[in-house]
Amino acid sequence: MKEVSIIGIDLSKNSYQFHGAHADGSVAFRVKRSRGRVIPFLSSQSACTVAMEACGGAHYWGREIGKLGHEVRLIPPIYVKPYVKRQKNDAADAEAICEAASRPTMRFVAVKSEESQARAMQLGVRMLLVRQRTQTINALRGHLAEFGLVAPKGPAHVARLAWALEGEEGAALPALVREMGALLVERIAELDRKVAEFDRVLRAAAREDEEAARAMTVPGVGPITALALQALAPPLETFRKGRDFAAWLGLTPRQRTTAGKPRLGKISKMGQKDLRRLLVVGAMSVIQNAIRRGKTDDPWLARLLVKKPRKRKLVAVALANRMARVLWALAMKKETYRAPAVA
């Protein structure tokens, strides 16, 4: 009797579809199991390759299944889609996962540890609070603008609206407007305190971590970006070179080349969008600081700013691409950042 070589699992909330295949690709079984019977079913199988899509809960199942002695492989869903045959159902998806995992050139996602997922959750909660603060500030500005109280954008100008509500301008407003405005101001202050507490904890964690401290030597990389690099990106050792890491982040142009004619478009925006956004925001801060000072110690950035004076976002993406390659090099060589020499 031939042994099962690979098992594809289509994950769900409560019902899981399994597709087992032999080494020659022939079907061994097609079964469906509930959530509570996943581990007992896989523990009864001989050690083999278990493949799943890299989706919600996949890393948890990857750790649990790995404890049973199986080799776990997570595949990006976009790489599984071409192998789905005609109808879209759980059985077809599990078979497609099994087929995709058997390809010798397939790319896989590393299973995250509990610590990495916990850090990613911490960063995600902070980002959620920041978004809620921005939404509340915009709501306050929009409502008060209808009554003639106007303030510039940004958290720094919320105090101006708070003072206006309490001063003579606010006294002329209806009582209900003052009450609702005070409620929003209080909510913004509460979110400010929570975000500040998150920042304090993250800064302390970044200082204690050797890899994060090394990453923070790069201009434009702060504690949040350094910790996000560890929590959200796969191990940098999996990339052959820094350009591959930048391409994974989506900081390289999308190619539409045919008949030997290269055509490059906008950045591909692949990979982890939060980490890419943090790198671009950090790059923009470096550019704004250079423009404010009127000079920069980086000759490469100085030439790019002269060449593209009105395209700061384009320069920021190019700088973020270089930052990603520098971060990869620092991780591989275990060194700190050294500023380039001025010609």
Side-chain angles (χ1 to χ4, degrees), residues 3 34 38-39 84 103 130 146 174 261 284 310 328 332:
E3 292 186 354
S34 62
V38 171
I39 297 301
V84 178
R103 298 297 92 195
V130 172
E146 297 177 358
K261 298 180 180 179
M284 184 63 76
R310 297 186 178 180
W328 179 88
M332 294 300 99

Side-chain angles (χ1 to χ4, degrees), residues 87-322:
Q87 301 298 330
K88 173 69 172 66
N89 51 57
D90 294 346
D93 289 346
E95 183 179 357
I97 293 170
C98 194
E99 181 68 22
S102 64
R103 298 297 92 195
T105 58
M106 182 55 59
R107 299 174 182 176
F108 301 102
V109 178
V111 178
K112 291 184 179 180
S113 63
E114 288 186 347
E115 291 76 14
S116 295
Q117 281 195 284
R119 182 69 70 187
M121 180 178 178
Q122 184 186 32
L123 293 170
V125 171
R126 180 194 176 275
M127 293 177 187
L128 174 62
L129 294 178
V130 172
R131 287 197 299 268
Q132 290 179 347
R133 182 178 63 180
T134 303
Q135 293 170 356
T136 310
I137 291 174
N138 291 338
L140 178 65
R141 292 180 62 250
H143 288 308
L144 294 185
E146 297 177 358
F147 293 91
L149 295 182
V150 181
K153 296 181 181 179
H157 302 287
V158 174
R160 180 183 301 185
L161 293 176
W163 294 334
L165 284 172
E166 298 175 357
E168 296 181 358
E169 295 178 90
L173 297 176
L176 188 57
V177 174
R178 295 198 303 272
E179 181 182 352
M180 294 298 100
L183 180 64
L184 291 176
V185 170
E186 182 181 355
R187 177 59 176 166
I188 293 170
E190 180 185 359
L191 291 172
D192 278 336
R193 290 192 295 270
K194 291 182 178 180
V195 172
E197 179 63 20
F198 268 95
D199 292 342
R200 185 188 64 79
V201 173
L202 291 173
R203 282 195 297 268
R207 286 195 297 268
E208 296 175 358
D209 189 275
E210 182 180 355
E211 294 183 4
R214 185 185 303 116
M216 286 191 296
T217 60
V218 180
V221 176
I224 296 176
T225 305
L227 293 175
L229 180 66
Q230 299 179 8
L232 304 178
L236 298 185
E237 294 80 8
T238 60
F239 299 99
R240 190 165 53 91
K241 52 187 177 182
R243 292 178 183 271
D244 294 343
F245 177 51
W248 176 84
L249 282 169
L251 292 170
T252 53
R254 183 185 294 275
Q255 297 188 24
R256 297 185 181 273
T257 299
T258 182
K261 298 180 180 179
R263 295 183 178 89
L264 300 180
K266 299 180 180 179
I267 59 174
S268 64
K269 295 187 178 180
M270 300 295 287
Q272 223 291 331
K273 64 178 182 180
D274 293 325
L275 182 55
R276 180 178 62 251
R277 177 179 56 82
L278 288 172
L279 287 174
V280 173
V281 170
M284 184 63 76
S285 68
V286 173
I287 293 171
Q288 291 176 346
N289 184 46
I291 294 175
R292 186 164 51 250
R293 292 173 53 198
K295 64 176 182 177
T296 175
D297 298 331
D298 188 344
W300 176 87
L301 180 58
R303 290 194 301 269
L304 201 57
L305 288 174
V306 172
K307 187 178 180 180
K308 306 285 185 180
R310 297 186 178 180
K311 297 184 178 181
R312 296 183 184 178
K313 289 186 178 180
L314 186 147
V315 177
V317 172
L319 180 57
N321 181 299
R322 194 183 72 163

